[in-house]
Amino acid sequence: MHARSKSWTRKLTPYLMLSPSYAFIVTLMAVPVGMGILYSFQNYMFFDPFNRAFIGLDNFSRILGDRTFWTAVRNTVVWTVVSLALQFILGMTLALLLNAGPFPGKPLYQALVFLPWAVPGFLIGMTWKWMFNAELGVISDILMRLHLISQPVGILSNPSTALLGVIAANVWFGVPFFAITLLAGLQSIPYELYEAGTIDGASSTGLFYHVTLPLLKPTIIVSTLLRFIWIANFPDLIYIMTEGGPAGASQTLATYIFATGYKSLNIGYSAALSVVLFLGLLVFAAVYMGITRFGREGA
Amino acid sequence: MIHRRPAWQRVGRGLGLLCFLVFALFPLYWMVLTSLKPTQELFSHNINYWPLNPSLQHYLGVLRRTSFPVYFRNSLLVAGITSLTVLVISIFGGYAIARFRFKGRQASLMILLATQMFPGVILVSPIFILFAKMHLLNTLVGLILIYVTLNIPFAVFLMRGYFESVPVEIEEAAHIDGCSRVAAIWRVLVPSLWPGLVATIVFVFTAAWSEMIFAIMFINSEGLKTVPVGLTMFVSKFNVDWGMMMAAATLALIPVAILFGFIQRYLVQGLTMGAVKG
């Protein structure tokens, strides 16, 4: 009898331990997502609740013909892919530089060079917006001193460069994250593997391609996938710096969803846009995991 | 075995490291520099790269003429409570997934991953409507509940990795010594996982300190605004007063920078322990 009750508690323990996590996730994630999916099939304006009704797929068919949506899709792809690629390349370079051995003042160096990661998005947005200011901003000033431009330029107020401006700020913010994750991955590679490779006569490039990269692959796959999703879903920086402008030039799906929900208070349409973005990311994640064969070895 | 690299490689590495340092610090330098320049200098087209006439006028303005100290206190409260709550909850959640084989374990992992996938903005309107019914709109408790939820999945994921990095034997020894399971977690595992726990706390604190979208939507009262909301209002109110804004930004950065300075050496160590595993 005693043994039996003990195995009962043992069976229940993991569920009890996970229950607080699930209580939060179900109430404030699963339920709201379910509600959001319902709203996406409704005509739901916040200040016009009496005309609220199910309208089937009307929101979605409206999305297909919405030019702002298609611009936002294009911008989302550019914003996410370019930001991620630059963050990854620079982060990888920094991690390799740091992993190449000790140097005087390394702890302080790391604290400073990783600091952008700790800076809140709204501060990043404001600071870069100020630096990009056409007349009074430092970036315009530096470009003029370098004689790359002759007139002050407003990078964020010009439709052809606004997206590049917000990407620059995002790259600045994201490099430390990648450097930290990749450095952690690099440091978990056993040193003996490099020694063995060196004895076998491998060059340092050879070691990188045959030891470092294969062992780092799981870290790279997980961090690029998570980061891709986060960047695609990250409206804060763009909202602060350009509000998606000028004329939608830096509008991504995330900022468009926020604008339709928060400014126009068109909750139904905003929810439908969210569902589209979610499905897009889901498909992307599935394809990405399929291509990289991630998860085959079991999670 | 430390072999000396050729001189050109060491110089190249030094230059590379220097470039990254300048890239990382320049915007922060510019933020602090701007906050110290007197207003008329900010509107001069002759841009100085050095504080020629440093002045604290913007800081005094922020502290005396705005509710910034209140925003600051609210943000500390919200981020502090959020990070501690998430820590306790995710220790148990991560432990369960790391140490037990139970029905739904694999599903739990997939659910945690899936939560990272949907746009946070999809949650805003539904939670707004839920909170309106529960009278949680315009309260700090409401914000804390949201921030805890948003951070739990990733924290549980991290914790699970940390616990898996500790051999089961260490824990079993504690069981034999008569510790209950929960006591073993607190007395044996938590102390040895210290770097990972610190990394998690800082991660969550920073996320809660930075969150803007929910805070803008859900908080109206002046006395309940957090720093991000306070700053965005402050911008339009003063018609973009860059000096004041950068002073407020510098003040808002101080807590995270201090925290980060203390813990950064745990960060890489902590992530090495856990997050790397698929």
Side-chain angles (χ1 to χ4, degrees):
Chain A
M1 205 49 205
H2 185 69
R4 195 175 154 175
S5 77
K6 212 161 179 187
S7 82
W8 248 105
T9 46
R10 200 187 145 74
K11 267 194 180 149
L12 270 177
T13 317
Y15 298 105
L16 276 176
M17 285 180 151
L18 271 168
S19 57
S21 302
Y22 272 110
F24 278 97
I25 291 174
V26 168
T27 350
L28 290 181
M29 276 184 170
V31 170
V33 167
M35 292 164 71
I37 293 172
L38 277 183
Y39 298 162
S40 70
F41 298 106
Q42 293 176 354
N43 172 32
Y44 187 178
M45 313 285 276
F46 193 71
F47 283 127
D48 186 16
F50 300 109
N51 282 322
R52 189 174 163 186
F54 276 96
I55 50 168
L57 293 171
D58 280 12
N59 282 328
F60 294 95
S61 59
R62 206 186 118 197
I63 286 176
L64 290 179
D66 180 352
R67 289 182 62 179
T68 316
F69 166 79
W70 290 108
T71 317
V73 169
R74 193 193 64 96
N75 288 342
T76 306
V77 173
V78 175
W79 151 258
T80 311
V81 172
V82 175
S83 300
L84 183 77
L86 291 174
Q87 288 180 359
F88 176 73
I89 293 167
L90 292 172
M92 181 70 138
T93 313
L94 179 57
L96 288 170
L97 285 171
L98 285 170
N99 198 44
F103 57 87
K106 193 174 177 189
L108 178 66
Y109 180 87
Q110 286 196 9
L112 293 175
V113 86
F114 290 160
L115 190 57
W117 181 70
V119 180
F122 61 94
L123 294 188
I124 299 170
M126 287 173 177
T127 309
W128 281 82
K129 189 179 178 183
W130 167 233
M131 293 202 305
F132 276 132
N133 189 297
E135 301 291 328
L136 309 165
V138 62
I139 291 176
S140 199
D141 192 61
I142 291 176
L143 293 176
M144 293 221 292
R145 278 169 200 256
L146 294 172
H147 297 288
L148 291 171
I149 52 171
S150 52
Q151 297 274 320
V153 286
I155 290 173
L156 297 179
S157 52
N158 182 339
S160 56
T161 52
L163 195 56
L164 289 179
V166 289
I167 288 175
N170 194 27
V171 169
W172 180 79
F173 165 62
V175 167
F177 169 85
F178 264 120
I180 293 170
T181 329
L182 293 171
L183 186 59
L186 285 171
Q187 291 184 349
S188 62
I189 297 176
Y191 192 70
E192 298 80 57
L193 288 178
Y194 288 107
E195 276 184 335
T198 317
I199 293 165
D200 291 346
S203 66
S204 53
T205 338
L207 286 177
F208 181 73
Y209 282 109
H210 297 294
V211 178
T212 313
L213 272 188
L215 285 167
L216 212 53
K217 198 180 154 202
T219 314
I220 293 176
I221 293 170
V222 176
S223 58
T224 45
L225 177 61
L226 277 181
R227 199 75 210 163
F228 186 98
I229 293 164
W230 285 341
I231 295 174
N233 285 331
F234 183 46
D236 306 33
L237 262 188
I238 302 177
Y239 181 75
I240 292 258
M241 288 174 74
T242 64
E243 289 196 41
S250 58
Q251 185 87 281
T252 63
L253 281 174
T255 57
Y256 189 40
I257 292 167
F258 188 62
T260 31
Y262 172 55
K263 285 208 160 154
S264 329
L265 293 167
N266 189 343
I267 292 174
Y269 196 62
S270 169
L273 288 167
S274 308
V275 169
V276 170
L277 176 55
F278 173 56
L279 289 178
L281 288 172
L282 203 65
V283 169
F284 170 80
V287 171
Y288 191 79
M289 297 218 280
I291 291 173
T292 56
R293 296 168 167 266
F294 180 70
R296 294 286 167 84
E297 311 91 279
Chain B
M1 186 197 75
I2 295 166
H3 55 171
R4 243 156 131 78
R5 285 158 200 278
W8 67 268
Q9 267 192 16
R10 274 182 287 140
V11 171
R13 185 180 175 220
L15 279 177
L17 288 169
L18 187 69
C19 285
F20 275 105
L21 192 64
V22 171
F23 178 57
L25 292 186
F26 186 76
L28 298 175
Y29 172 71
W30 204 253
M31 180 176 103
V32 178
L33 178 69
T34 304
S35 72
L36 293 170
K37 284 181 179 177
T39 308
Q40 75 218 61
E41 203 182 317
L42 288 178
F43 290 98
S44 141
H45 289 260
N46 231 338
I47 295 176
N48 293 322
Y49 286 72
W50 202 249
L52 295 176
N53 314 291
S55 134
L56 289 177
Q57 68 174 94
H58 302 304
Y59 287 90
L60 294 176
V62 167
L63 294 174
R64 289 197 189 140
R65 283 194 278 142
T66 72
S67 314
F68 191 79
V70 178
Y71 308 153
F72 204 82
R73 189 206 62 196
N74 291 340
S75 270
L76 272 183
L77 207 65
V78 168
I81 297 177
T82 300
S83 48
L84 292 179
T85 314
V86 169
L87 183 74
V88 174
I89 292 179
S90 64
I91 283 179
F92 286 110
Y95 182 89
I97 295 181
R99 284 289 195 258
F100 292 92
R101 295 292 170 268
F102 56 96
K103 231 181 225 164
R105 178 177 175 275
Q106 205 61 27
S108 290
L109 278 171
M110 291 321 285
I111 289 170
L112 292 178
L113 262 184
T115 58
Q116 300 296 301
M117 221 162 281
F118 51 74
V121 273
I122 198 182
L123 298 171
V124 176
S125 350
I127 296 184
F128 190 92
I129 287 149
L130 277 180
F131 274 17
K133 288 179 187 150
M134 295 154 77
H135 302 288
L136 283 169
L137 279 182
N138 204 19
T139 63
L140 293 182
V141 175
L143 273 193
I144 292 172
L145 290 174
I146 295 172
Y147 295 170
V148 168
T149 312
L150 292 178
N151 284 293
I152 278 179
F154 190 64
V156 171
F157 217 69
L158 282 177
M159 289 298 168
R160 165 224 168 208
Y162 300 148
F163 285 125
E164 281 180 353
S165 72
V166 177
V168 172
E169 291 77 33
I170 294 181
E171 211 187 322
E172 279 166 356
H175 287 304
I176 294 165
D177 290 345
C179 279
S180 73
R181 193 177 281 277
V182 173
I185 296 180
W186 288 116
R187 289 200 209 135
V188 182
L189 291 177
V190 167
S192 66
L193 293 173
W194 178 234
L197 303 189
V198 172
T200 312
I201 287 196
V202 172
F203 185 86
V204 177
F205 187 94
T206 313
W209 184 265
S210 316
E211 206 288 328
M212 186 183 78
I213 303 286
F214 281 99
I216 289 182
M217 291 281 290
F218 286 38
I219 302 290
N220 298 314
S221 313
E222 191 64 15
L224 293 175
K225 281 176 186 165
T226 55
V227 173
V229 195
L231 288 192
T232 50
M233 300 296 135
F234 165 81
V235 172
S236 52
K237 204 161 83 186
F238 290 87
N239 205 6
V240 193
D241 180 334
W242 290 106
M244 289 254 257
M245 191 159 98
M246 291 296 120
T250 307
L251 292 174
L253 186 60
I254 289 173
V256 274
I258 291 176
L259 206 58
F260 194 73
F262 275 119
I263 60 88
Q264 70 80 25
R265 68 200 163 100
Y266 295 128
L267 260 185
V268 176
Q269 208 183 336
L271 286 172
T272 316
M273 280 160 48
V276 197
K277 299 185 178 172

